[in-house]
Amino acid sequence: MRNDGSRCPILWSLSGNGPFPGVIDMYGTGGGLPEYRACLLANYGFAVLALAFYGYEDLPKEMKEFNLEYFEEAVNYMLQHNQVKGPGIGLLGFSKGGDLCISMASFLKGITATAVINGSVANVGAVLRYKDVTIPPLGANKKRIKVNKSGIGDIIDVLNSPLEGPDRQSFIPLEKAECCFLFIVGQDDHNWKSEFFAAEGSKRLQAHGKEKPEIICYPGAGHYIEPPFFPMCAASMHLLVGMPVMWGGEPKAHCEAQIDAWKQIQAFFHRHLKGEPSRTANKL
């Protein structure tokens, strides 16, 4: 079911028997508005807003600067929607969408659960602003790209560490969040060091007396952990890097990770947004 809002967002939900637990779903640096994951989640009892943040209609064409007020509009839209159960909503973000979700959870109200698929706990790729706060992007060095004989780059070492020098300013203050976190990690992710980011996020939360996040690691899984039975994306063009890059992953292990991660994400949201386990978490 598609519902029109002030910015013409598309809310996917089951018809009848609402309201449903609400989730905002965001993808990565590819831009645009992928809706397939939102559609699939809607079949399992969620009201889902697939949220574009650049490269779509009147949104910025390039990823240079983001204002969190735009994402706050989306959160408020969901909290006020008659098909959304409340009192809080969930966030689901992949890659760049993951660090945006962490930023939303850190600064915005009304967020109960945040699931991140191979995301970063540092702000990456663009300046982030919210009111009087500015978070610079994590530094990077393209000279660290390793190119194989096929001309495909390995960018795993391109980003600087958010624990050193001025790059510490890029670390998102997730200790301010008032929600539960789930980190889905592909241990063969070649986009960036997702396992390192999840571990550092966990350390920071616990150092500030916050609940330890759930971290689920998948050996042999690459960056693009999609819903079950999606073909593994081993390599493709990276818009920010400007060349084809490898994403990592061993086919069988990656496929198995996609099946299990999909169950884990649903269970996480049912647990924290509905307050009870859901049988649908055991389905594909």
Side-chain angles (χ1 to χ4, degrees):
M1 181 170 67
R2 298 164 78 123
N3 298 320
D4 292 331
S6 58
R7 291 182 59 92
C8 297
I10 298 170
L11 183 72
W12 293 94
S13 64
L14 295 170
S15 58
N17 301 320
F20 305 98
V23 176
I24 294 176
D25 178 33
M26 295 194 296
Y27 272 72
T29 57
L33 185 62
E35 298 177 71
Y36 55 88
R37 192 166 62 195
C39 298
L40 289 168
L41 275 175
N43 285 317
Y44 291 90
F46 298 97
V48 190
L49 175 64
L51 183 65
F53 51 90
Y54 91 106
Y56 181 75
E57 294 188 348
D58 64 338
L59 293 173
K61 302 300 180 185
E62 298 180 349
M63 206 177 77
K64 292 184 176 180
E65 180 178 312
F66 295 120
N67 292 297
L68 214 52
E69 283 83 357
Y70 165 74
F71 301 92
E72 191 170 34
E73 278 187 56
V75 172
N76 291 336
Y77 170 80
M78 289 292 281
L79 292 172
Q80 296 166 12
H81 202 287
N82 59 13
Q83 283 291 302
V84 176
K85 180 181 178 182
I89 64 167
L91 304 176
L92 175 58
F94 160 70
S95 194
K96 174 60 188 176
D99 75 66
L100 285 171
C101 284
I102 293 174
S103 294
M104 292 167 69
S106 301
F107 291 101
L108 308 181
K109 302 296 184 182
I111 296 164
T112 302
T114 300
V116 177
I117 304 170
N118 283 332
S120 166
V121 292
N123 179 47
V124 178
V127 174
L128 182 73
R129 301 187 191 280
Y130 183 61
K131 297 181 178 178
D132 59 347
V133 176
T134 299
I135 302 180
L138 186 63
N141 186 347
K142 289 188 177 182
K143 292 182 180 179
R144 301 189 194 122
I145 298 175
K146 302 171 185 175
V147 182
N148 65 19
K149 294 179 180 179
S150 299
I152 298 174
D154 185 345
I155 61 173
I156 185 66
D157 294 318
V158 166
L159 291 176
N160 295 344
S161 170
L163 306 180
E164 301 172 2
D167 286 298
R168 288 179 293 182
Q169 299 176 36
S170 300
F171 205 115
I172 301 165
L174 72 169
E175 69 274 6
K176 296 178 180 290
E178 298 177 357
C179 70
C180 298
F181 284 98
L182 167 65
F183 290 94
I184 299 291
V185 174
Q187 290 182 303
D188 192 37
D189 183 354
H190 277 257
N191 179 69
W192 53 30
K193 299 176 182 178
S194 297
E195 187 173 8
F196 165 78
F197 287 141
E200 290 305 319
S202 179
K203 290 177 185 177
R204 183 146 179 173
L205 285 167
Q206 293 179 79
H208 287 80
K210 295 299 181 75
E211 182 180 345
K212 182 179 181 180
E214 297 178 51
I215 301 177
I216 303 175
C217 295
Y218 295 100
H223 188 63
Y224 269 90
I225 296 179
E226 295 275 29
F229 312 120
F230 274 56
M232 187 186 85
C233 181
S236 67
M237 179 63 71
H238 194 301
L239 294 182
L240 295 186
V241 179
M243 66 180 295
V245 304
M246 63 179 67
W247 302 112
E250 186 277 320
K252 185 176 185 295
H254 190 91
C255 175
E256 293 172 346
Q258 291 188 159
I259 293 171
D260 189 70
W262 183 244
K263 297 176 184 178
Q264 299 287 353
I265 290 166
Q266 291 177 69
F268 173 75
F269 284 135
H270 277 296
R271 189 161 61 248
H272 294 290
L273 299 180
K274 292 184 69 174
E276 59 185 33
S278 171
R279 293 179 182 177
T280 58
N282 295 318
K283 298 179 181 179
L284 298 181

